[in-house]
Amino acid sequence: MKKKKIFNIIGIMTGTSMDGIDISYISTDGINKVKILKEKSYPYSLYEQIKIKKINITNISKKSIINSHNVKITNLIIKYLKKFLKEFTIIKKGIDYISLSGQTILHIPNKNISLQLGNPKLISNFFKIKVISNFRINDIKNGGQGAPIGAFYHKFLIKKINTNAAIINLGGVANFSLIYKKIFISSDIGPANAISDDLMMYFFKKKYDKDGKLASKGNINKKIFDLFKKDRFFRKKYPKSLDRNNFHYLIKELKKIKVHNALRTSLNFTIFSIMNLLDNKICSDVNELIFTGGGRKNKYLISQIKKLNNQLQISLIDDYGLNGDLIESQMFGYIGIRSLKKLILSTPNTTGVKKNITGGNLYY
């Protein structure tokens, strides 16, 4: 490794929402310095999104199937990264590393499975730039959930903004990060956009319910909502993690009812997950919720959270001069350098690993 303290790195995030690729070019030391150089979100075309959501890998022993899908996702990442470099006229010589999250397709931590597509070797060969990836492998080997793996960037933001704040990321899955009695804690808490987005695709061939307008016209289906609340996920202690399809059995039920009611009920899944977190003692010192991720744009969702919480300040990460669509791509740039420097990525209180560990592999 070069004897540098600060590196220029491109972070790439393809999230569980499966709605696009986020790319951030940042300068960071992986500790307390982050400067955003250039960044942009690239939404998938409807065709691309449908193709990705149709990837259904239940048997990871079928390597030929995985390799086929891996090539498709890799080519998609290369396509948008090429576009990003050209659009911002970024010279490759100035880039020290690329840090890749990969597209999560299957996440079953109790079976030591967390599969992300996107081949770092091929991407490194194509751009002739070193790539850091596969952050979850070491975590899972050491008894962790493998997710949420980028929590230390949330810790950096919390320390910068408000040490009594909880960051809640609303992607395909909802997760949080906070500091409780000097202990940093992070975990998934429930579904966010995945169910609603899948319903919108099913009913309307649209990507999402803009501002939650359709959900706001519906009523909660008590029978389905009660099934959701009884899910064993909510009996587990933090930290814990979810696959975007963990609640797929409820989507089948939601598809049978009126569309507005289905969307309103799925939105209430997210509200319940957030309120369930706030009822936990670890939130006793929290005075602010800072929302990030695509779900923060759901105005109806945020308004409902505000109604249920008159004691907490409700903010968007954008209120602090950051783009909430690009926090996770910034995150992977940041943890890429932490990985390079062998700094901690996972702890027993963020992913459930047995001890504090680093992670990630370097490809070139």
Side-chain angles (χ1 to χ4, degrees):
M1 185 177 75
K2 298 175 186 178
K3 292 181 180 179
K4 288 175 66 174
K5 293 182 179 179
I6 297 176
F7 296 87
N8 292 337
I9 186 165
I10 290 181
I12 302 173
M13 178 63 183
T14 51
T16 51
S17 288
M18 298 182 173
D19 55 357
I21 289 181
D22 303 324
I23 304 175
S24 293
Y25 183 32
I26 69 171
S27 175
T28 182
D29 64 352
I31 304 168
N32 53 25
K33 293 180 181 179
V34 175
K35 182 181 180 182
I36 298 163
L37 305 174
K38 303 288 181 183
E39 59 182 357
K40 187 171 180 178
S41 289
Y42 293 94
Y44 290 137
S45 67
L46 189 61
Y47 172 80
E48 288 170 338
Q49 190 176 37
I50 289 171
K51 283 287 187 184
I52 293 169
K53 285 189 174 184
K54 281 184 177 178
I55 296 174
N56 183 17
I57 297 172
T58 54
N59 186 350
I60 64 167
S61 64
K62 295 181 179 178
K63 291 185 179 180
S64 60
I65 295 173
I66 292 173
N67 289 339
S68 172
H69 289 306
N70 205 12
V71 169
K72 291 174 187 175
I73 295 295
T74 301
N75 288 337
L76 204 58
I77 292 168
I78 288 171
K79 169 188 169 181
Y80 284 103
L81 184 50
K82 276 175 65 180
K83 190 173 183 179
F84 177 78
L85 296 177
K86 184 177 180 181
E87 187 172 345
F88 292 103
T89 58
I90 296 170
I91 299 169
K92 287 194 286 184
K93 286 183 179 179
I95 305 166
D96 294 309
Y97 300 95
I98 294 168
S99 182
L100 175 69
S101 139
Q103 180 66 65
T104 302
I105 298 298
L106 189 64
H107 183 69
I108 314 173
N110 61 329
K111 293 184 179 179
N112 297 326
I113 296 170
S114 191
L115 180 62
Q116 288 84 46
L117 299 183
N119 189 316
K121 286 183 181 179
L122 293 180
I123 293 168
S124 178
N125 288 342
F126 185 90
F127 291 102
K128 302 293 185 276
I129 301 170
K130 294 176 182 179
V131 175
I132 308 162
S133 191
N134 290 333
F135 296 98
R136 297 184 181 187
I137 292 174
N138 197 39
D139 184 276
I140 289 174
K141 281 182 180 178
N142 284 274
Q145 298 277 309
I149 199 66
F152 270 79
Y153 186 60
H154 283 172
K155 185 179 182 181
F156 163 78
L157 293 174
I158 288 169
K159 285 190 169 183
K160 185 178 178 182
I161 297 169
N162 174 10
T163 53
N164 288 323
I167 288 182
I168 298 180
N169 174 54
L170 300 175
V173 168
N175 59 58
F176 80 92
S177 297
L178 58 82
I179 298 170
Y180 172 66
K181 295 187 183 298
K182 297 183 180 181
I183 299 170
F184 180 57
I185 305 170
S186 187
S187 175
D188 287 349
I189 57 173
N193 308 325
I195 296 176
S196 175
D197 291 353
D198 287 354
L199 289 172
M200 287 297 293
M201 187 68 73
Y202 176 78
F203 285 113
F204 302 111
K205 289 291 184 286
K206 289 186 177 180
K207 293 183 178 182
Y208 60 93
D209 178 14
K210 188 176 181 181
D211 296 332
K213 286 181 180 178
L214 296 180
S216 70
K217 297 175 182 178
N219 297 309
I220 298 166
N221 183 293
K222 188 176 183 301
K223 183 180 177 182
I224 298 174
F225 184 50
D226 285 345
L227 280 173
F228 171 77
K229 290 190 291 184
K230 291 175 184 176
D231 193 278
R232 63 181 181 178
F233 174 77
F234 297 106
R235 295 193 294 272
K236 296 178 181 177
K237 293 181 179 180
Y238 301 129
K240 50 189 174 179
S241 63
L242 283 169
D243 182 82
R244 81 180 304 279
N245 294 319
N246 264 105
F247 296 95
H248 196 266
Y249 68 99
L250 293 175
I251 295 181
K252 293 177 182 178
E253 298 302 315
L254 290 168
K255 287 177 179 178
K256 297 175 185 176
I257 65 176
K258 291 181 179 179
V259 59
H260 295 98
N261 295 342
L263 291 165
R264 179 67 182 89
T265 304
S266 71
L267 181 134
N268 219 54
F269 293 170
T270 305
I271 293 172
F272 172 83
S273 302
I274 294 168
M275 299 309 297
N276 189 54
L277 165 67
L278 296 179
D279 286 340
N280 194 291
K281 67 178 182 180
I282 62 173
C283 289
S284 57
D285 294 329
V286 170
N287 61 18
E288 180 182 12
L289 300 182
I290 303 174
F291 287 96
T292 183
R296 82 195 189 288
K297 294 180 180 177
N298 189 316
K299 292 178 181 178
Y300 184 62
L301 170 62
I302 299 300
S303 71
Q304 294 302 298
I305 297 297
K306 286 180 178 178
K307 281 183 182 179
L308 293 167
N309 288 279
N310 52 18
Q311 296 178 340
L312 296 177
Q313 180 179 334
I314 307 297
S315 310
L316 304 183
I317 196 72
D318 311 70
D319 299 334
Y320 294 99
L322 293 161
N323 187 330
D325 290 333
L326 291 155
I327 294 299
E328 289 195 296
S329 51
Q330 296 166 20
M331 173 187 288
F332 275 91
Y334 180 83
I335 70 166
I337 298 306
R338 288 188 69 83
S339 169
L340 191 75
K341 293 183 174 184
K342 306 299 181 187
L343 298 173
I344 296 168
L345 295 187
S346 306
T347 76
N349 293 301
T350 63
T351 63
V353 285
K354 295 172 184 176
K355 60 181 180 179
N356 294 353
I357 58 167
T358 188
N361 297 323
L362 182 63
Y363 299 86
Y364 55 96

